[in-house]
């Protein structure tokens, strides 16, 4: 493992001068409403530093499968889950991306900033996005649908920096039957996907799921108004992501 400078924050190891503390804070807020118990099979796509994974383990989940392609993040996951990472029947770590591609390896794009460890993607939304991401590495990749079919998660978290858009479109937002709760982060692209998701895919998900939590991630405020009526979102300024939590209807 690489040498890491770390500090403790709310019970989690974090790297100083990064977005780790923000990610921990968001995880504690976004995923607090998950109903995880000893029967839960939890799959975490986009594990970051393991904040959600640790929450699932502390809730006594039956299994945790956590996927993260970025090396520094992956090392932080093993550190934050140190008390659990030898329990192979309970916890499995995968240093790999997930996407709709069948390729065993993909290019992983990151920008050169303090936020680079949580903004890498194998699915940049445009040529402009590719050009802006100067750090590029080759990472392992697994097909997201094949992983879900094999593991049959009851609780699924998807935070994969743009690859979720390809997945939603490919599957037409048909959530696998095993999934009882779904955490989904939608990231901004240049095709108007927020509006498409709000008008088409969000209502489709809501046919079988109840929205429990919706949080828009917005930037600098200005007079530009973004309205997504089905999700009840109204933002002045930029909108770069939406965090959602769904629970299957009984």
């Amino acid at each position: 493992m690489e040498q890491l400078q770390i500090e403790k924050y709310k019970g989690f190891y974090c790297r100083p001068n990064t977005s780790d503390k923000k990610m921990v804070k968001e995880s504690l807020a976004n995923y607090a409403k998950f109903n995880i118990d000893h029967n839960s099979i939890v799959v975490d796509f986009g594990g970051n530093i393991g904040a959600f994974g640790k929450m699932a383990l502390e809730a006594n989940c039956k299994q945790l499968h956590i996927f993260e392609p970025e090396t520094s993040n992956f090392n932080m996951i093993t550190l934050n889950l140190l008390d659990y990472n030898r329990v192979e029947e309970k916890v499995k770590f995968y240093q790999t991306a997930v996407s709709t591609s069948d390729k065993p390896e993909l290019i992983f794009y990151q920008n050169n900033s303090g936020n680079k460890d949580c903004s890498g993607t194998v699915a940049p939304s445009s040529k402009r996005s590719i050009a802006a991401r100067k750090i590029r590495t080759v990472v392992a990749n697994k097909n997201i649908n094949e992983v879900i079919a094999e593991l049959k998660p009851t609780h699924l978290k998807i935070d994969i920096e743009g690859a979720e858009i390809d997945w939603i479109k490919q599957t037409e937002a048909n959530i696998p039957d095993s999934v009882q709760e779904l955490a989904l982060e939608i990231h901004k692209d240049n095709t108007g996907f927020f509006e498409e998701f709000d008008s088409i895919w969000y209502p489709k998900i809501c046919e079988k799921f109840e929205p429990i939590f919706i949080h828009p991630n917005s930037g600098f405020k200005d007079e530009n108004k973004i309205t997504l009526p089905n999700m009840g979102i109204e933002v002045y300024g930029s909108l770069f992501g939406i965090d959602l939590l769904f629970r299957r209807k009984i």
Side-chain angles (χ1 to χ4, degrees), residues 201-227:
W201 308 123
Y202 175 79
K204 184 164 186 177
I205 295 174
C206 288
E207 291 175 5
K208 295 183 178 180
F209 287 81
E210 188 75 25
I212 302 301
F213 177 86
I214 301 175
H215 177 72
N217 297 307
S218 56
F220 295 107
K221 297 185 181 301
D222 57 34
E223 295 181 354
N224 180 44
K225 182 179 179 181
I226 300 172
T227 302

Side-chain angles (χ1 to χ4, degrees), residues 12 15-16 30 45-46 52 68 94 109 112 119 126 131 165 175 187-188 207 209 225 235 239:
F12 298 87
R15 295 159 294 195
N30 293 359
F45 291 141
F52 171 66
E68 172 59 50
Y94 308 79
Y109 299 87
N112 189 16
S119 63
S126 66
I165 295 174
I175 310 304
H187 296 84
K188 183 178 181 179
E207 291 175 5
F209 287 81
K225 182 179 179 181
V235 171
L239 179 63

Side-chain angles (χ1 to χ4, degrees), residues 90-117:
K90 189 178 184 74
V91 185
K92 291 189 182 296
F93 306 98
Y94 308 79
Q95 189 174 356
T96 179
V98 293
S99 72
T100 57
S101 173
D102 291 320
K103 294 181 179 180
E105 294 181 331
L106 294 174
I107 298 174
F108 188 65
Y109 299 87
Q110 294 171 283
N111 55 35
N112 189 16
S113 72
N115 193 44
K116 70 180 181 66
D117 294 326

